[in-house]
Amino acid sequence: MTLNEFFEQNGNKTIEIQDDGTIKVLEEKGPWKPECEEKYCTIYGCGSVETFKWVDCLMDDLRKEMGNVFQTKAEAERMVHRLKARKKFLDAGGHEGVERYFDLQPPTKPVWHIYPTGCGYLRTEKKSGVTAFDIWFESEDDVQKAIDSLTDDEKAALCWIGEER
């Protein structure tokens, strides 16, 4: 069976080709959802982290829908630091999304972006193209001002890419 035949029969599922040439369909996990009575953490508006038991009520569902359900306190605190960093980027002259980008002439003018790396530092790059959730800067000075405004915890939260090492 060719890959095209496989996809025609099985749909566009995520696969892994094994060493012996067979195809393994990978499970699509989606975001974590607590089991009934399992503890989870959530962030309050002031940035504090609280722990609740999942009871499948409206509040649990609303928190989950907003992406405000975390498996551990550390994950929730990391998100608080990321949100604070995002605010500091905007306060330091960053622009959010594509709307302001198209006000610049020409429309493909390169702008400055900050990229987290898995090595624990932030990298800057000047490039064209902005997505809806990008925060971008018109000058290198604004980028540096934004990076300098971050605490070590905020930098670490932006550079975190997965499981603790």
Side-chain angles (χ1 to χ4, degrees):
M1 172 184 294
T2 68
L3 283 176
N4 285 337
E5 292 168 340
F6 174 85
F7 287 123
E8 285 174 16
Q9 291 178 8
N10 297 288
N12 207 9
K13 297 180 180 175
T14 306
I15 63 167
E16 182 178 276
I17 299 176
Q18 305 296 301
D19 291 337
D20 64 0
T22 59
I23 297 172
K24 177 182 177 183
V25 177
L26 301 176
E27 289 183 38
E28 304 241 353
K29 292 188 177 185
W32 176 75
K33 179 181 176 184
E35 298 293 324
C36 198
E37 296 296 315
E38 187 176 3
K39 289 183 180 180
Y40 71 93
C41 296
T42 191
I43 303 168
Y44 275 13
C46 61
S48 67
V49 175
E50 299 293 330
T51 302
F52 291 94
K53 278 189 181 177
W54 186 271
V55 293
D56 231 355
C57 67
L58 177 62
M59 286 306 295
D60 289 342
D61 291 336
L62 291 173
R63 289 180 185 128
K64 177 78 175 114
E65 187 178 316
M66 288 178 27
N68 195 6
V69 171
F70 301 91
Q71 225 169 338
T72 66
K73 186 174 182 177
E75 286 177 355
E77 288 171 344
R78 191 175 297 112
M79 182 56 73
V80 170
H81 291 304
R82 284 183 175 206
L83 292 170
K84 286 180 179 179
R86 181 177 178 79
K87 168 109 173 53
K88 286 182 178 182
F89 284 173
L90 293 171
D91 290 348
H95 303 279
E96 187 172 23
V98 296
E99 188 174 306
R100 173 74 174 96
Y101 177 70
F102 288 115
D103 292 343
L104 299 175
Q105 295 298 327
T108 57
K109 176 184 175 184
V111 292
W112 288 92
H113 295 261
I114 299 173
Y115 295 99
T117 69
C119 303
Y121 66 93
L122 298 171
R123 174 173 74 88
T124 62
E125 183 179 357
K126 191 172 187 178
K127 69 172 205 159
S128 296
V130 175
T131 67
F133 296 103
D134 276 353
I135 294 181
W136 52 274
F137 301 84
E138 292 181 35
S139 75
E140 190 173 9
D141 289 341
D142 286 343
V143 171
Q144 195 56 54
K145 183 174 149 187
I147 292 172
D148 291 345
S149 73
L150 299 178
T151 66
D152 289 342
D153 285 339
E154 291 162 351
K155 287 178 188 173
L158 288 174
C159 294
W160 186 79
I161 58 169
E163 295 298 319
E164 301 294 338
R165 293 187 183 145

